[in-house]
Amino acid sequence: MTHLNSKAVLGLGAAAVVAVIAAMAISSGRQPVSEPKGAGYALPGLRDHLNDVRSVIIIGAENKTAVSLLKEGQDWQIQEKDGYPADAGKLREMLITLANAELLERKTANVQRYADLGIEDVQAKEAQGVELRLEGLGQPARLIVGKVDDNNGATFIRRPEEKQSWLAKGVLRIERDPVRWLDKSLTDIPSSRIAEIMLSRPAGKGLRLFKSKPEDSAYSVADLPSGREADPAAAGLASTLAGLNLIDVFPASAVAAPPESNLLKARYRTFDGLTIEVKAWNRDDRHYAQFSAKLDRALAESHLQAEAAKASQSAQTHDAEKTQGSPAQATPAPDIGQHLEALDREAERLNRRFAGRSFAIPADKYDNMDKSLADILKPATTGPKQKKK
């Protein structure tokens, strides 16, 4: 090898070493080393003080408040939804995930790369993530929540006052629409409690279905025409208030209702004296309703006394059968005072939700109220008995 060639080889070797070192440096920058255990939590003050949180504010791009969740007593409310109750279970689930958000890996501290992780400052117009602001702890807590890393069950986060970002344990998909935080359950009164249903349209004959006692197998129809009978499917109208979930809620003043004469009206009375009245209307293919609740304590007490009498009779029958070796179980008598208090609380709770508000409700529930007598009738299947020849 000539002297010139030796110098060339040495030069190429040195260049290769420099290239390898540079590549290692770049690789190191792109693939952060796992953070040793003990890096802490995204919000270290939260884990032992979950119940102390008094508000959760979700801030979006341009520093705009998206959702304000406020705790009033033991209940959570949504400020943007007229103070309507929030889904407390969903909120608690998010707070628990947030409290357990252990810092797993350091990520970029380069402002120019924040957008890759969705952790830009929310003052930015293009900010992709949200900033959470929690109050009620020793001091206000803030955290920018960015993109989710589904592969690792983790989320990119950054404390607003720090440049350093992190991959934190847990999936945090923060809802920015107040509707998503609503407690959707509006009423849940099973059909077995319904004694009477009265429906009326703006025009046309009203419909009344009723049972005399809970044990009745089917509803009777008021003003039933000769030769007609109720379709068995009509019994489904009693399930309107069972599992009734709202779609949205508004202050009553924000959604103008039609004149009284143009409203669809429904009234549901339970055997134990609770009456729910509904005024509903359809606008732009959306179904709205206003509700009110009222308890007839005299009717409730009468029903409970009747139930107590039945339970007493059942107990006597049970005692008689027991002496004959029967394993039959007696129905316990209801505590009338406790039941009345529970019914009072139910009516109060419902009216707290109903008062001064209009609700968007599902189309199938609206359709259940939009019925007339003619809609539920069919030709009678049994006529007068034929005389034997």
Side-chain angles (χ1 to χ4, degrees), residues 302-324:
S302 174
H303 170 75
L304 292 171
Q305 286 174 347
E307 292 296 304
K310 282 196 296 185
S312 176
Q313 181 62 42
S314 173
Q316 291 177 16
T317 303
H318 168 68
D319 289 342
E321 292 176 342
K322 189 175 180 181
T323 59
Q324 300 173 12

Side-chain angles (χ1 to χ4, degrees), residues 179 182 184 245-250 286-287 359-363:
V179 173
L182 288 170
K184 298 291 181 67
N245 291 336
L246 63 86
I247 294 175
D248 205 347
V249 58
F250 313 89
R286 201 166 197 195
H287 306 94
F359 299 88
I361 62 172

Side-chain angles (χ1 to χ4, degrees), residues 31-112:
Q31 299 177 9
V33 176
S34 295
E35 193 70 18
K37 287 187 176 180
Y41 294 89
L43 292 176
L46 182 58
R47 282 171 60 82
D48 296 328
H49 299 279
L50 272 177
N51 293 330
D52 295 336
V53 177
R54 307 303 304 174
S55 70
V56 178
I57 311 298
I58 302 171
I59 310 291
E62 298 186 272
N63 213 26
K64 293 179 179 177
T65 299
V67 186
S68 306
L69 299 157
L70 311 176
K71 194 171 187 179
E72 294 291 337
Q74 296 302 312
D75 300 323
W76 284 90
Q77 301 176 350
I78 307 171
Q79 185 170 304
E80 289 76 12
K81 283 295 170 187
D82 192 36
Y84 195 79
D87 185 339
K90 179 175 182 174
L91 176 58
R92 183 161 184 82
E93 183 179 348
M94 185 198 76
L95 288 174
I96 290 174
T97 303
L98 198 58
N100 292 326
E102 191 175 359
L103 301 177
L104 302 177
E105 287 184 9
R106 291 181 188 272
K107 292 298 178 181
T108 186
N110 182 347
V111 175
Q112 302 303 317

Side-chain angles (χ1 to χ4, degrees), residues 186-198:
L186 189 55
T187 64
D188 194 15
I189 300 174
S191 58
S192 59
R193 282 182 67 186
I194 302 297
E196 181 182 49
I197 305 165
M198 296 182 70

Side-chain angles (χ1 to χ4, degrees), residues 146-189:
K147 296 180 179 178
V148 167
D149 180 353
D150 284 311
N151 292 330
N152 292 303
T155 306
F156 298 105
I157 59 98
R158 182 173 66 85
R159 298 178 182 119
E161 65 276 13
E162 298 177 3
K163 286 189 174 182
Q164 181 64 58
S165 65
W166 295 83
L167 183 66
K169 180 181 178 182
V171 173
L172 283 164
R173 288 191 172 89
I174 310 298
E175 300 283 3
R176 310 173 195 214
D177 184 349
V179 173
R180 299 278 187 175
W181 288 99
L182 288 170
D183 179 355
K184 298 291 181 67
S185 178
L186 189 55
T187 64
D188 194 15
I189 300 174

Side-chain angles (χ1 to χ4, degrees), residues 118-317:
I119 51 168
E120 311 97 314
D121 285 337
V122 293
Q123 288 86 353
K125 185 177 181 180
E126 300 80 13
Q128 303 167 77
V130 297
E131 180 177 317
L132 296 179
R133 297 176 184 173
L134 278 58
E135 294 187 354
L137 305 174
Q139 55 186 5
R142 301 164 61 208
L143 191 72
I144 295 175
V145 179
K147 296 180 179 178
V148 167
D149 180 353
D150 284 311
N151 292 330
N152 292 303
T155 306
F156 298 105
I157 59 98
R158 182 173 66 85
R159 298 178 182 119
E161 65 276 13
E162 298 177 3
K163 286 189 174 182
Q164 181 64 58
S165 65
W166 295 83
L167 183 66
K169 180 181 178 182
V171 173
L172 283 164
R173 288 191 172 89
I174 310 298
E175 300 283 3
R176 310 173 195 214
D177 184 349
V179 173
R180 299 278 187 175
W181 288 99
L182 288 170
D183 179 355
K184 298 291 181 67
S185 178
L186 189 55
T187 64
D188 194 15
I189 300 174
S191 58
S192 59
R193 282 182 67 186
I194 302 297
E196 181 182 49
I197 305 165
M198 296 182 70
L199 306 177
S200 65
R201 286 170 169 165
K205 191 173 178 59
L207 168 63
R208 176 173 175 256
L209 303 173
F210 62 95
K211 283 184 177 179
S212 298
K213 54 186 181 300
E215 297 80 15
D216 288 349
S217 59
Y219 285 92
S220 298
V221 181
D223 302 324
L224 186 65
S226 177
R228 307 283 284 174
E229 66 181 16
D231 189 311
L237 301 182
S239 66
T240 303
L241 300 179
L244 172 54
N245 291 336
L246 63 86
I247 294 175
D248 205 347
V249 58
F250 313 89
S253 59
V255 182
E260 193 79 10
S261 59
N262 292 337
L263 289 169
L264 184 157
K265 297 177 183 177
R267 189 177 75 177
Y268 304 86
R269 178 177 60 80
T270 67
F271 287 105
D272 49 8
L274 182 67
T275 296
I276 305 293
E277 293 194 346
V278 188
K279 297 177 179 178
W281 66 98
N282 187 10
R283 175 171 295 159
D284 299 329
D285 292 328
R286 201 166 197 195
H287 306 94
Y288 297 96
Q290 295 175 345
F291 297 79
S292 64
K294 181 174 63 177
L295 178 66
D296 183 335
R297 285 183 63 88
L299 181 60
E301 191 164 354
S302 174
H303 170 75
L304 292 171
Q305 286 174 347
E307 292 296 304
K310 282 196 296 185
S312 176
Q313 181 62 42
S314 173
Q316 291 177 16
T317 303

Side-chain angles (χ1 to χ4, degrees), residues 322-380:
K322 189 175 180 181
T323 59
Q324 300 173 12
S326 169
Q329 296 294 315
T331 303
D335 184 309
I336 294 177
Q338 287 184 0
H339 275 66
L340 283 174
E341 290 178 7
L343 287 167
D344 277 331
R345 289 195 299 272
E346 182 181 21
E348 291 172 4
R349 181 182 59 80
L350 289 170
N351 280 327
R352 280 199 302 274
R353 295 198 168 204
F354 295 160
R357 296 185 173 111
S358 296
F359 299 88
I361 62 172
D364 62 326
K365 296 294 187 180
Y366 180 90
D367 290 344
N368 267 2
M369 302 178 202
D370 190 14
K371 300 293 184 192
S372 68
L373 179 61
D375 293 329
I376 62 130
L377 296 182
K378 66 173 188 173

